[in-house]
């Protein structure tokens, strides 16, 4: 097991800036016939260099994940690993089950294999330490040669940290080279390292065997005190923040005793350790190893392939269906709220009749139903944020792709959105007493479905921009209110000021086309009696309060626009994800959390 311990001047910030991995020599194991396997030729052709650059970018992006442990909580542990194997590995399904069982055994997760990761009302969710091991097991299904882990002990208590490191030590003994970074460790954890690399401001202060590090500090004139942890001693020696503590301790030295253990000059220690390392045998050994690797010829490691895009789309669709059926935040809460909304509006506007005087009231009912149906969809924001976080992790580790993710999410959301559309629409439609024909009823349901489909894509865009529930909810509510204002109900669209409100806002509001299409569906082709002998068409009766077209095909044009908006918003989301806009534009602070990246192909 390789330990790259990065100790920087200054107190470790909540979101530390990464300087990249230090490549460490793979451990030599007796069963490896030809010694360490090269990750890639030292001097590859230009096409391979471009591929290597892209992979390094994937590694760096993998270090900037949004989520403490980015795993799906609404799924059983064994199911999650199995879906991960299906996404990453080609071949028949039966052969991948053994990979999953091996990963569970390697990370000692047998007691949790059949439990829901997020828990439910009768069982607790998996502890943080076990969730961290699950995230590592997700990568082990690939049976990698090298495993990169960033901050594996972040936010873990001492017991969980030691258990995780013992598990990683056992994994390293099987032939997998484990490279990780950390800022501080306990004495027990430090004793598990095979090799360590100490960095300060990007400069190497030591790189070699763990036991040799203590001797290196002693040779430099900074021996580790008997009662002090080696990790604490290393941090103390090269962390410049301790200089401020020295100044404070000098004022207390006369009254509180001797503070000689913290009187070390950090800047001098860093320079001395760096100079001592450059002249040491460990530095010469590293330089010799690098020279041998440069001179050594070897083939590039070739991947055995991965699942096809069609297979991955099917796997992601089925996995998302399973998650959505279990996640109350995505489907069940919205179904309950939509049914309550339909019942409330339906009972408020019940028995309004079909006279000329009921036109304005019926239009109000339709507008309120559409507007608040969309407004209540914000309760699904947490589920969308989780989906984006999972996609971000899987994409950085090459498990998934942007198009695969969007198609899988789109296909899996269709049955749920259609179910909530048809259930709430039926309640509202018959309580209000709209036109009693099947074709008009189906148009009403399909329009509500298309409206929710377009809204779903907009929610995904906002969730990707912020990745925070409060900011996403606030942004969506502001957008929905603006869309409601310019939809043509409070003021006819032709009378709305053109520069901003009419164009472009009213044209990009799906409220506009949904309400207009439903009103046209209700009143085009109808007539109302005025007096004993005179009648007026329904379109003329409506135009006093809402602007609609008299054409029988106008409602289908509105439905087509809603469909194009549902597709267009997803195209926008695809571009944002593909270009990784959050990487270049800061929409908010990004917390630093552990992430994992694997290298090499499956065995």
């Amino acid at each position: 097991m390789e330990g790259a311990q990065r100790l920087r001047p200054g107190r470790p910030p909540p979101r530390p800036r990464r300087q990249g991995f230090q490549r460490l020599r793979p451990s030599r194991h007796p069963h490896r016939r030809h010694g360490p396997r090269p990750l890639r030729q030292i001097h590859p052709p230009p096409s391979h260099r471009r591929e290597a650059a892209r992979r390094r970018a994937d590694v760096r992006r993998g270090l900037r994940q949004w989520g403490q442990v980015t795993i799906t909580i609404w799924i059983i542990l064994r199911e999650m690993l199995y879906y991960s194997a299906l996404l990453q590995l080609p071949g028949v399904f039966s052969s991948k089950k053994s990979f999953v069982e091996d990963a569970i055994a390697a990370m000692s997760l047998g007691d949790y294999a059949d439990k829901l990761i997020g828990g439910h009302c009768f069982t607790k969710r998996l502890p943080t330490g076990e969730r961290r091991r699950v995230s590592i097991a997700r990568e082990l299904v690939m049976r990698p040669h090298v495993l990169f882990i960033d901050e594996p002990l972040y936010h873990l208590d001492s017991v969980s940290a030691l258990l995780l490191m013992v598990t990683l030590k056992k994994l390293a003994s099987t032939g997998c080279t484990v490279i990780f970074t950390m800022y501080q460790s306990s004495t027990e954890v430090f004793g598990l390292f095979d090799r360590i690399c100490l960095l300060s401001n990007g400069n190497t202060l030591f790189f070699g065997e763990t036991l040799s590090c203590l001797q290196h500090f002693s040779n430099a004139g900074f021996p580790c005190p008997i009662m002090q942890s080696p990790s604490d001693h290393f941090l103390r020696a090269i962390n410049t923040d301790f200089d401020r503590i020295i100044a404070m301790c000098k004022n207390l030295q006369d009254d509180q005793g001797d503070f000689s253990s913290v009187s070390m000059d950090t800047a001098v220690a860093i320079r001395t350790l760096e100079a001592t390392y450059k002249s040491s045998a460990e530095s010469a050994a590293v330089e010799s190893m690098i020279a041998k690797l440069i001179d050594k010829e070897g083939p590039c490691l070739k991947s055995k392939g991965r699942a096809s895009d069609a297979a991955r789309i099917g796997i992601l669709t089925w996995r998302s269906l399973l998650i959505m059926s279990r996640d109350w935040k995505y489907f069940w809460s919205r179904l309950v709220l939509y049914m309550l909304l339909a019942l409330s509006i339906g009972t408020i506007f019940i028995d309004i009749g079909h006279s000329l005087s009921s036109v304005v009231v019926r239009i109000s009912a339709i507008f309120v139903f559409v507007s608040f149906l969309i407004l209540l969809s914000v309760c699904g924001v947490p589920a969308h944020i989780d989906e984006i976080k999972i996609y971000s992790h899987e994409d950085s580790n090459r498990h998934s792709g942007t198009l695969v993710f969007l198609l899988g999410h789109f296909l899996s959301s269709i049955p749920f959105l259609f179910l909530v559309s048809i259930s709430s629409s039926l309640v509202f439609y018959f309580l209000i007493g709209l036109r009693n024909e099947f074709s008009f009823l189906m148009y009403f349901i399909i329009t509500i479905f298309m409206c929710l489909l377009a809204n779903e894509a907009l929610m995904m865009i906002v969730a990707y921009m912020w990745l925070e529930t409060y900011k996403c909810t606030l942004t969506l509510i502001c957008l929905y209110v603006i869309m409601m204002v310019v939809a043509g109900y409070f003021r006819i669209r032709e009378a709305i000021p053109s520069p901003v409100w009419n164009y472009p806002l009213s044209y990009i509001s799906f409220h506009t086309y949904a309400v207009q299409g439903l009103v046209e569906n209700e009143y085009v082709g109808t007539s109302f009696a005025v007096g004993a002998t005179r009648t007026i068409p329904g379109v003329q009766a409506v135009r006093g309060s809402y602007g609609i077209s008299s054409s029988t095909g106008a409602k289908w044009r509105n439905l087509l626009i809603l469909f194009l908006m549902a597709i267009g918003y997803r195209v926008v989301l695809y571009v944002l994800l593909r270009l990784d806009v959050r990487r270049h534009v800061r929409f908010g602070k990004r917390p630093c959390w552990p992430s994992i990246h694997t290298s090499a192909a499956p065995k």
Side-chain angles (χ1 to χ4, degrees), residues 44-109:
S47 60
H48 287 184
R49 285 200 297 269
R50 288 192 295 269
E51 175 69 13
R54 183 173 61 82
R55 288 180 180 271
R56 286 194 297 269
D58 288 340
V59 174
R60 289 192 295 269
R61 183 171 56 178
L63 297 179
R64 293 188 290 266
Q65 291 306 305
W66 312 312
Q68 182 174 357
V69 182
T70 314
I71 55 179
T72 308
I73 64 174
W74 297 101
I75 199 169
I76 295 173
L77 191 153
R78 181 176 276 109
E79 290 177 344
M80 193 204 74
L81 296 181
Y82 186 55
Y83 285 127
S84 180
L86 293 177
L87 285 173
Q88 299 179 66
L89 299 172
V92 296
F93 291 168
S94 58
S95 63
K96 301 175 184 178
K97 292 183 178 179
S98 61
F99 293 2
V100 172
E101 297 302 325
D102 291 345
I104 292 175
M107 299 308 297
S108 304
L109 291 170

Side-chain angles (χ1 to χ4, degrees), residues 117-315:
I117 295 175
H120 49 76
C121 54
F122 301 107
T123 61
K124 295 181 179 180
R125 64 189 300 173
L126 262 64
T128 304
E130 279 65 30
R131 287 159 64 89
R132 192 70 49 80
R133 284 190 282 158
V134 170
S135 65
I136 298 174
R138 179 171 55 184
E139 308 302 327
L140 292 183
V141 296
M142 286 286 290
R143 297 187 174 179
H145 298 304
V146 183
L147 188 66
F148 296 92
I149 311 179
D150 189 42
E151 289 289 342
L153 306 185
Y154 193 84
H155 276 186
L156 292 185
D157 58 77
S158 58
V159 176
S160 300
L162 182 59
L163 179 60
L164 177 58
M165 295 308 299
V166 170
T167 306
L168 291 178
K169 180 70 174 181
K170 183 179 69 172
L171 175 63
S173 65
T174 63
C176 177
T177 299
V178 182
I179 303 175
F180 56 88
T181 61
M182 63 174 54
Y183 284 86
Q184 194 170 8
S185 65
S186 63
T187 305
E188 293 83 1
V189 170
F190 179 81
L192 297 175
F193 299 157
D194 294 329
R195 298 171 181 84
I196 65 173
C197 177
L198 299 180
L199 302 176
S200 179
N201 280 339
N203 299 318
T204 303
L205 304 185
F206 179 78
F207 183 18
E209 300 289 339
T210 303
L211 295 179
S212 302
C213 186
L214 293 172
Q215 185 62 40
H216 170 68
F217 271 71
S218 297
N219 295 339
F222 308 106
C224 179
I226 298 177
M227 301 300 293
Q228 190 172 10
S229 166
S231 176
D232 293 337
H233 177 65
F234 300 155
L235 180 65
R236 164 64 194 89
I238 60 178
N239 192 328
T240 55
D241 273 359
F242 280 92
D243 292 338
R244 291 180 295 178
I245 301 177
I246 293 173
M248 297 173 58
C249 291
K250 286 181 179 179
N251 298 328
L252 300 174
Q253 189 167 0
D254 296 335
D255 300 330
Q256 303 296 331
D258 186 16
F259 285 87
S260 58
S261 61
V262 294
S263 61
M264 188 187 309
D265 190 337
T266 306
V268 174
I270 292 175
R271 291 194 299 268
T272 304
L273 288 169
E274 186 176 3
T276 305
Y277 171 71
K278 289 181 178 180
S279 60
S280 65
E282 287 80 7
S283 178
V286 171
E287 295 296 333
S288 176
M289 175 60 67
I290 293 175
K292 290 180 180 179
L293 290 176
I294 292 176
D295 295 336
K296 186 176 182 179
E297 293 292 336
C300 297
L301 289 175
K302 294 183 179 179
S303 173
K304 293 184 178 180
R306 62 178 183 180
S308 64
D309 289 341
R312 291 195 295 166
I313 291 172
I315 294 165

Side-chain angles (χ1 to χ4, degrees), residues 453-573:
L453 206 61
N455 176 58
E456 204 77 2
L458 178 62
M459 291 174 63
M460 289 288 285
I461 293 174
V462 175
Y464 170 73
M465 291 295 185
W466 292 117
L467 288 175
E468 293 182 22
T469 302
Y470 174 76
K471 292 181 179 180
C472 291
T473 304
L474 185 62
T475 302
L476 286 170
I477 289 176
C478 292
L479 291 175
Y480 293 155
V481 170
I482 293 175
M483 290 181 179
M484 291 166 59
V485 170
V486 300
Y489 173 76
F490 298 102
R491 190 176 184 185
I492 298 177
R493 287 182 64 190
E494 289 74 10
I496 297 177
S498 288
V500 176
W501 301 108
N502 190 7
Y503 183 83
L505 290 182
S506 68
Y507 284 87
I508 62 175
S509 168
F510 37 77
H511 296 65
T512 301
Y513 306 103
V515 176
Q516 187 172 327
L518 294 179
V519 173
E520 290 170 347
N521 182 61
E522 180 67 19
Y523 288 107
V524 172
T526 62
S527 59
F528 294 92
V530 180
T533 59
R534 181 169 172 257
T535 60
I536 61 172
V539 174
Q540 183 178 347
V542 171
R543 279 180 177 169
S545 56
Y546 200 87
I548 62 174
S549 173
S550 59
S551 173
T552 55
K555 66 178 185 180
W556 299 108
R557 184 176 65 251
N558 289 321
L559 184 61
L560 177 62
I561 293 174
L562 286 175
F563 174 75
L564 293 177
M565 293 180 73
I567 300 299
Y569 279 130
R570 281 172 171 80
V571 171
V572 173
L573 179 60

Side-chain angles (χ1 to χ4, degrees), residues 384-450:
H384 289 302
I385 293 176
D386 292 340
E387 288 281 347
I388 293 292
K389 289 179 178 179
I390 294 170
Y391 156 77
S392 173
H393 178 91
E394 292 181 343
D395 182 63
S396 65
N397 285 283
R398 311 291 296 279
H399 299 176
S400 178
T402 305
L403 186 61
V404 171
F405 163 72
L406 290 179
L407 287 176
H409 184 270
F410 172 72
L411 294 175
S412 61
S413 64
I414 287 177
F416 293 102
L417 293 179
F418 189 77
L419 183 57
V420 297
S421 299
I422 193 172
S423 57
S424 57
S425 297
L426 286 174
V427 174
F428 174 82
Y429 197 91
F430 289 107
L431 285 178
I432 296 298
L434 301 181
R435 298 179 72 171
N436 193 18
E437 293 185 26
F438 181 75
S439 60
F440 297 112
L441 172 62
M442 286 307 302
Y443 178 87
F444 189 97
I445 294 173
I446 294 174
T447 300
I448 295 297
F449 170 70
M450 285 297 172

